[in-house]
């Protein structure tokens, strides 16, 4: 994998700031590592790879919050078109951590609001984080949550954490970004169950409207089809057998087939 990634021309974070996807559409795909390597070899002439401090693969950490009765998970699993997620997202190498509210509306658009989190260590994440004024470290986020979250901050607790490595590509026309997440690891905080998905790759295409995308024809050649994948919902369903997951079962079965084929 490293040899393949080194064959791409690099792009810096500063150069990527020039990409403005004003009418963005997002599409996810799921495949195995073998097909991902084939896709990367086919795509290397049409894409740059993001490089930060000489590194082309970046580790990420995410801590998801939900109510005790998993209201956010249930809204997604039930197919509600207006739904939210709350998480702390850590860019491990840079030391940046953000508290993020993701809101998906009934038009299929996702908006993300975030605020910088101080004194959070993704290598030794805190437990029992409470968003109320008794917790001096996290009370400063109360106003942010009350402005952007549909749920009472006091009702939230940690439910799931995950780690993964991300590869980011940019097409040479500068009209799209492609994120590729590999080495997924889930830990359910409530059940203390783990699930590792080392052979799966989650590809997300973020492009400006319906402009030409070089990657789409390559995905089609390799028969890699669009495939929804919510890390929070999939990770929760795989690590907590008490959760209702009837609507997710076709997706879970499809992922299992991809794993078996790898």
């Amino acid at each position: 994998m490293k040899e393949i990634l080194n064959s791409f021309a690099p792009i810096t974070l500063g150069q990527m700031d020039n990409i403005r996807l004003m009418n963005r559409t997002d599409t996810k795909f799921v495949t195995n590592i073998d097909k991902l390597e084939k896709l990367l070899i086919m795509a290397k002439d049409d894409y740059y790879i993001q490089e930060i401090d000489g590194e082309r693969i970046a580790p990420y950490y995410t801590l998801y919050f939900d109510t005790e009765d998993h209201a956010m998970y249930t809204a997604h699993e039930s197919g509600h078109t207006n739904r939210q997620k709350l998480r702390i997202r850590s860019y491990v190498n840079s030391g940046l951590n953000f508290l993020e509210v993701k809101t998906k509306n009934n038009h299929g658009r996702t908006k993300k609001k975030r605020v910088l989190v101080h004194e959070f260590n993704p290598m030794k994440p805190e437990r029992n984080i409470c968003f109320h004024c008794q917790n001096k470290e996290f009370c400063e986020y109360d106003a942010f949550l009350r402005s952007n979250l549909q749920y009472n901050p006091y009702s939230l607790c940690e439910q799931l954490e995950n780690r993964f490595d991300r590869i980011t590509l940019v097409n040479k026309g500068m009209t799209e970004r492609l994120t590729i997440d590999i080495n997924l690891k889930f830990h359910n905080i409530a059940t203390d169950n783990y699930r590792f998905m080392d052979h799966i790759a989650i590809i997300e295409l973020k492009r400006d409207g319906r402009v030409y995308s070089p990657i789409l024809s390559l995905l089609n050649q390799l028969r890699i089809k669009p495939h929804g994948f919510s890390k929070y919902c999939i990770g929760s369903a795989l690590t907590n057998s008490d959760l209702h997951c009837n609507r997710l079962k076709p997706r879970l079965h499809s992922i299992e087939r991809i794993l078996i084929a790898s």
Side-chain angles (χ1 to χ4, degrees):
M1 176 74 76
K2 189 173 182 180
E3 184 178 345
I4 297 171
L5 297 180
N6 286 340
S7 68
F8 282 77
I11 187 170
T12 67
L13 204 55
Q15 290 171 317
M16 286 181 60
D17 285 342
N18 296 324
I19 303 172
R20 294 286 181 263
L21 304 182
M22 302 304 293
N23 185 29
R24 195 175 95 178
T25 59
D26 299 349
T27 311
K28 287 184 180 178
F29 304 82
V30 180
T31 189
N32 57 47
I33 297 300
D34 289 341
K35 277 194 176 182
L36 171 63
E37 290 182 345
K38 293 176 183 177
L39 178 70
L40 290 170
I41 291 169
M42 295 164 68
K44 65 183 178 66
D45 293 332
D46 292 311
Y47 287 83
Y48 300 109
I49 188 167
Q50 178 182 287
E51 182 176 287
I52 302 175
D53 296 330
E55 298 293 333
R56 298 187 171 200
I57 301 178
Y60 280 59
Y61 169 83
T62 313
L63 177 61
Y64 292 97
F65 298 83
D66 206 334
T67 61
E68 285 192 15
D69 61 353
H70 304 92
M72 295 185 199
Y73 169 88
T74 301
H76 191 128
E77 196 278 334
S78 301
H80 291 186
T81 50
N82 286 294
R83 57 182 185 257
Q84 291 190 304
K85 291 192 184 78
L86 178 67
R87 69 190 187 188
I88 292 177
R89 165 61 59 84
S90 296
Y91 302 82
V92 177
N93 284 349
S94 67
L96 292 174
N97 310 289
F98 294 92
L99 180 65
E100 300 181 342
V101 175
K102 291 186 71 176
T103 303
K104 188 165 187 175
N105 64 26
N106 55 10
H107 299 294
R109 293 286 178 177
T110 300
K111 293 184 178 180
K112 183 168 67 176
K113 300 285 187 179
R114 68 182 190 176
V115 63
L116 196 64
V117 173
H118 308 285
E119 305 299 327
F120 182 83
N121 182 0
M123 304 314 294
K124 294 182 179 179
E126 296 186 44
R127 289 289 176 264
N128 302 314
I129 293 173
C130 298
F131 297 106
H132 56 64
C133 47
Q134 280 74 32
N135 187 327
K136 293 181 181 178
E137 285 188 76
F138 288 89
C139 65
E140 65 179 284
Y141 308 110
D142 187 75
F144 166 76
L145 292 174
R146 292 188 183 278
S147 297
N148 297 290
L149 193 66
Q150 300 165 6
Y151 300 85
N152 185 336
Y154 292 12
S155 69
L156 303 174
C157 56
E158 303 122 322
Q159 293 288 354
L160 184 80
E161 60 185 351
N162 84 307
R163 298 182 186 276
F164 60 92
D165 295 324
R166 173 165 288 183
I167 301 159
T168 301
L169 303 182
V170 179
N171 73 320
K172 292 188 175 178
M174 305 295 251
T175 57
E176 68 182 36
R177 290 195 304 272
L178 200 68
T179 60
I180 303 167
D181 296 340
I182 57 175
N183 300 325
L184 275 73
K185 299 174 176 63
F186 296 103
H187 173 222
N188 193 300
I189 295 166
T191 65
D192 199 31
N193 288 332
Y194 290 81
R195 181 65 185 264
F196 302 144
M197 305 182 78
D198 296 342
H199 299 293
I200 282 285
I202 314 302
I203 302 167
E204 186 166 9
L205 171 62
K206 305 170 185 182
R207 60 175 173 150
D208 197 353
R210 294 186 175 276
V211 297
Y212 169 72
S213 169
I215 205 70
L216 286 178
S217 62
L218 304 182
L219 289 163
N220 189 52
Q221 287 179 49
L222 294 173
R223 297 185 179 180
I224 301 172
K225 306 297 184 184
H227 192 298
F229 194 106
S230 161
K231 292 187 184 72
Y232 176 54
C233 291
I234 296 295
S236 295
L238 290 172
T239 57
N240 189 342
S241 58
D242 291 334
L243 292 177
H244 190 273
C245 62
N246 281 352
R247 289 175 63 94
L248 286 174
K249 281 183 180 177
R251 204 159 285 174
L252 292 170
H253 292 326
S254 175
I255 293 167
E256 291 295 337
R257 288 194 295 271
I258 292 169
L259 283 170
I260 291 170
S262 63

